[in-house]
């Protein structure tokens, strides 16, 4: 509605001969690239090539934790595919990444009744002693609740049963739960998995320790089991569990950022970079997080090449490594390419569900332009370009002043599957993924081709 009104105001202004410079420039951009955008959208949505390619990636290599053989084999496969597609300057740039290995793990409810519980150790956690940690459970609802009951936590296993509000808030218990529990004298800590819905699937993810605070094992259980333990405590029942984890951190491993290019026709040294991260947690298939983002960006660039749409500036597709437990790929990329002029960085790491548009981080002048480009994507539902956006992998580039944007999608189901065994290809829709490809391709192409570039 707002967009319709904006365009009719522009039309009226044009009829009346009123020319504000911005309106004139905007109209030119939208009009200039309408045909190219139509061609891109038609080609991207004509088949399910991205979904098929993603299926090959995740079925062939499975999940891809940093340091795993699967991740490096996936990198080899991506590089071979990019070369086959005719992308230029296809290469892997070395990155040293953390190497955490889960090992065997289990959680047994001993009291008030025996039950094997589904669990996932959190990434970076230490192991338990070989025989495991047996202890009485104290269920708390928040950090404040733990503080209030600190005298009960000593020697116990603390469970944070914290309902999901939004990711940023609830993830604090995953990242900082072990430190808070250890400070209170707990011997291990558990969290209710970070997600709004559950079908008995625990969710893993990163966590941290702090210098000077004892490192205790830290794991996630399902929403269902967390709620059950909480009910048991409220009934005054004694709860005991046995936690066993063999997790260990090995020396850093060799990995790569993988990339290929569509070289610009006039200003090849200026770059629009887009991509996602190739690594995933060691569960599920890493299809949604973030194989889909990598493949959508890759397909977007392949498609532009196939259509013979060669922009003035270079478009580079990158699969960043180690987003999940280090962000070393994003940081290494920013360091390796600090001497280049990046016009824009685009990341897709919110799942390749129905695209809604982009979140943009950059100057007001640049925002006006990318918002106008967004109107070319209204047909695929991805026309909304909003203020504020980016991504973990492009964060280090954005800190140096490069404008950045993240693909925005319908995230309703994202945290149902996130970092769990349920992150598999079947959760993604081939048509929605195709529309993500269209959105990325149009945005990257137009920005890379703008006669005057995107202002900082
Ligand atoms: Zn991700």
């Amino acid at each position: 509605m707002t967009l319709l009104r904006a365009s009719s105001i522009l039309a009226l202004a044009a009829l009346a001969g009123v020319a504000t410079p911005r309106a004139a420039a905007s109209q030119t951009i939208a009009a200039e690239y309408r045909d190219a955008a139509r061609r891109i959208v038609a080609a991207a949505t004509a088949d399910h090539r991205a979904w098929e390619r993603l299926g090959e990636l995740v079925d062939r290599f499975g999940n891809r934790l940093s340091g795993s053989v699967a991740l490096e084999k996936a990198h080899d496969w991506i590089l071979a595919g990019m070369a086959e597609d005719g992308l230029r300057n296809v290469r892997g740039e070395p990155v040293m990444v953390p190497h955490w290995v889960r090992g065997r793990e289990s959680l047994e409810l001993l009291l008030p009744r025996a039950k094997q519980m589904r669990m996932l150790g959190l990434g970076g956690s230490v192991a338990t002693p070989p025989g495991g940690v047996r202890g009485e459970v104290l269920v708390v609802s928040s950090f404040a609740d733990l503080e209030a009951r600190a005298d009960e936590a000593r020697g116990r296993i603390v469970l944070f049963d914290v309902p999901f509000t939004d990711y940023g808030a609830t993830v604090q218990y995953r990242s900082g739960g072990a430190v808070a529990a250890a400070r209170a004298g707990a011997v291990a800590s558990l969290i209710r998995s970070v997600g709004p819905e559950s079908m008995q699937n625990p969710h893993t993810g990163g966590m941290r320790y702090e210098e000077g605070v004892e490192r205790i094992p830290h794991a996630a259980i399902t929403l269902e089991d967390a709620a059950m333990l909480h009910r048991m405590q409220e009934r005054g029942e004694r709860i005991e569990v046995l936690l066993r984890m063999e997790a260990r951190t090995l020396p850093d491993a060799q990995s790569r950022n993988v990339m290929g290019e569509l070289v610009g026709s006039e200003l090849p040294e200026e770059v629009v970079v887009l991509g996602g991260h190739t690594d995933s947690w060691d569960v599920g298939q890493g299809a949604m997080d973030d194989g889909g983002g990598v493949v959508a960006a890759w397909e977007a660039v392949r498609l532009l090449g196939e259509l013979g749409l060669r922009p003035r500036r270079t478009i580079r597709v990158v699969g960043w490594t180690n987003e999940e437990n280090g962000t070393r790929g994003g940081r290494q990329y920013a360091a390796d390419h600090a001497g280049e002029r990046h016009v824009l960085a685009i990341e897709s790491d919110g799942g390749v569900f129905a695209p809604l548009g982009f979140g943009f981080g950059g100057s007001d002048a640049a925002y006006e332009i990318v918002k106008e480009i967004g109107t070319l994507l209204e047909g695929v539902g991805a026309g909304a370009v909003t203020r504020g956006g980016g991504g973990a992998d492009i964060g280090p580039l954005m800190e140096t002043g490069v404008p950045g944007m993240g693909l925005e999608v319908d995230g309703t189901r994202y945290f149902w599957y996130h970092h769990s065994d349920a992150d598999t290809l079947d959760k993604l829709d081939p048509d929605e993924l195709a529309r993500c490809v269209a959105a990325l391709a149009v945005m990257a192409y137009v920005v890379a081709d703008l006669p005057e570039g995107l202002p900082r």
Side-chain angles (χ1 to χ4, degrees), residues 209-226:
Y209 292 115
E210 254 176 53
E211 249 348 276
V213 181
E214 190 170 354
R215 299 177 168 226
I216 60 172
H218 190 38
I221 63 172
T222 66
L223 275 59
E224 291 91 337
D225 282 344

Side-chain angles (χ1 to χ4, degrees), residues 289-350:
D289 185 15
D290 183 32
V294 172
V295 169
W298 175 9
E299 274 295 297
V301 178
R302 185 197 64 77
L303 200 68
L304 294 173
E306 186 182 276
L307 292 171
L309 289 167
R310 189 171 171 203
R312 292 183 168 91
R313 296 171 194 78
T314 294
I315 300 180
R316 178 182 299 148
V317 52
V318 179
W320 286 283
T321 191
N322 184 233
E323 187 275 341
E324 296 291 4
N325 58 339
T327 343
R328 300 258 190 101
R331 283 188 273 154
Q332 187 73 51
Y333 178 88
D336 290 348
H337 297 268
E340 273 175 344
R341 177 158 177 86
H342 282 90
V343 177
L344 175 67
I346 310 175
E347 180 161 355
S348 168
D349 188 19

